[in-house]
Amino acid sequence: MKSLNTGINIFMNTVGGKWKCLILFFLSQKPMRTKEFYILMPAITQKVLTDQLKQLERDGLVRREVYKEVPPKVEYSLTELGQSFVPVLNTMCEWGNTYAVEQNLERQEQICRHHK
């Protein structure tokens, strides 16, 4: 089967998977340190978080900043390109909440937030 380089394939290759959209969503709220991700996503492993952040950084959506202090501080934030994805995240979140209500699914909370 031939692989197509279509918009949806590019989208899925860039932000698809179990954790990337959630990482981007939390970064849309504020810059974060690694420890904060573990608090918000306790099921994620160190290897997976590290891999996902590296991929998002490589794809230009996330910025990694290392502060020269002891112990070293590393902070992640969205790039301008990453910020352009926030409206997509909000649309996905709203759809998920609507779907949950229509399907009578249990959910913890509605965490969608609208940004600029």
Side-chain angles (χ1 to χ4, degrees), residues 23-24 26-38 46 49-58 61-67 73-79 83:
I23 290 168
L24 292 168
F26 288 129
L27 288 176
S28 76
Q29 308 303 306
K30 64 176 187 157
M32 298 182 70
R33 296 179 68 182
T34 307
K35 181 179 177 182
E36 294 174 277
F37 287 112
Y38 295 124
Q46 180 179 355
L49 178 60
T50 300
D51 289 348
Q52 299 286 279
L53 286 167
K54 282 181 182 178
Q55 290 169 18
L56 289 166
E57 185 181 9
R58 178 200 66 213
L61 299 171
V62 169
R63 176 182 308 105
R64 178 179 187 265
E65 188 167 352
V66 180
Y67 295 89
K73 174 183 171 184
V74 178
E75 189 173 78
Y76 295 91
S77 60
L78 293 181
T79 62
Q83 287 288 346

Side-chain angles (χ1 to χ4, degrees), residues 93-110:
C93 188
E94 289 168 4
W95 184 89
N97 284 316
T98 301
Y99 179 81
V101 169
E102 290 178 2
Q103 298 297 313
N104 200 29
L105 300 175
E106 187 176 324
R107 59 198 166 115
Q108 292 178 333
E109 64 179 299
Q110 182 170 324

